[in-house]
Amino acid sequence: MEKEWYVVNTYSGHENKVKEKLEMRASSMGMEDYIFRVVVPSQKEVTIKNGKEVEKESKMFPGYILVEMIMTDEAWFIVRNTPGVTGFIGSSGKGAKPFPLTKPEVDKILGNMGMSRIDVVNEISEGDSVKVTSGAFANMMGKVKLVDMANQKMEVALDLFGQETIVEVLFTEIEKI
């Protein structure tokens, strides 16, 4: 089983509290190998108040959080029974497990937040093999040469016409092999 992203319904306005509780429960119950990241989808908005620019964080989907997890019975139970969680989106109920978000959906949501579906810090390093998933070099395999965290990009060496060529791709355009 591989880790995937799921949408969890929470009480509106309690998203950050649920995120903290879920992370604490995953840690205290030894489920860090099954529940990886919990994200409250939000974006920065700049408004003008009293003639000054004010930056404010606003939730993209009030009442919802994203959870990156491996869907096992134990992990599913922990998430469902976290205080403030009302259920998973994509489940018919009656004990049915939910459907995960598709990779393009996750890429769009996390990309708007300046994040990547791939936890680059922990999952990818120089020398790893990756597959380009979109753009001019889609479906090509290569090796990571440089990771640029500041710009959310990396340099990947691809084999183009029998010659190694270095191309720059965004974090959202690759997946680890």
Side-chain angles (χ1 to χ4, degrees), residues 137-153:
F137 304 103
N139 299 320
M140 296 190 77
M141 313 289 184
K143 289 222 182 281
V144 176
K145 292 294 183 184
L146 177 74
V147 178
D148 180 2
M149 295 301 290
N151 295 312
Q152 299 280 302
K153 296 179 181 178

Side-chain angles (χ1 to χ4, degrees), residues 1-76:
M1 298 179 87
E2 67 179 76
K3 59 183 176 179
E4 297 183 281
W5 287 90
Y6 295 87
V7 180
V8 176
N9 195 347
T10 68
Y11 295 130
S12 189
H14 293 251
E15 299 87 354
N16 290 320
K17 290 177 190 170
V18 171
K19 175 185 186 307
E20 289 175 24
K21 287 178 185 174
L22 181 53
E23 289 171 339
M24 286 188 331
R25 283 175 53 98
S27 176
S28 68
M29 296 177 143
M31 294 297 289
E32 296 99 336
D33 292 338
Y34 296 96
I35 300 172
F36 302 97
R37 291 189 283 174
V38 181
V39 176
V40 178
S42 59
Q43 57 191 14
K44 290 184 179 15
E45 287 183 352
V46 177
T47 57
I48 297 177
K49 194 172 191 176
N50 298 331
K52 295 181 183 176
E53 283 189 0
V54 177
E55 197 172 274
K56 179 185 169 192
E57 194 84 14
S58 67
K59 293 181 178 67
M60 294 166 62
F61 309 111
Y64 298 96
I65 60 173
L66 301 179
V67 180
E68 182 184 30
M69 62 187 282
I70 296 174
M71 186 56 73
T72 64
D73 289 338
E74 297 84 13
W76 185 44

Side-chain angles (χ1 to χ4, degrees), residues 5 39 41-43 60 66 103-118 152 170-173:
W5 287 90
V39 176
S42 59
Q43 57 191 14
M60 294 166 62
L66 301 179
K103 289 178 182 178
E105 289 171 330
V106 175
D107 288 340
K108 185 173 183 182
I109 294 167
L110 295 181
N112 286 340
M113 296 174 59
M115 295 174 67
S116 171
R117 171 174 35 89
I118 297 169
Q152 299 280 302
L170 298 172
F171 289 169
T172 57
E173 298 176 329

Side-chain angles (χ1 to χ4, degrees), residues 120 124 144 146-148 153-156 167-169 171 174:
V120 177
I124 295 185
V144 176
L146 177 74
V147 178
D148 180 2
K153 296 179 181 178
M154 64 178 59
E155 290 182 2
V156 178
V167 298
E168 194 174 80
V169 294
F171 289 169
I174 57 107

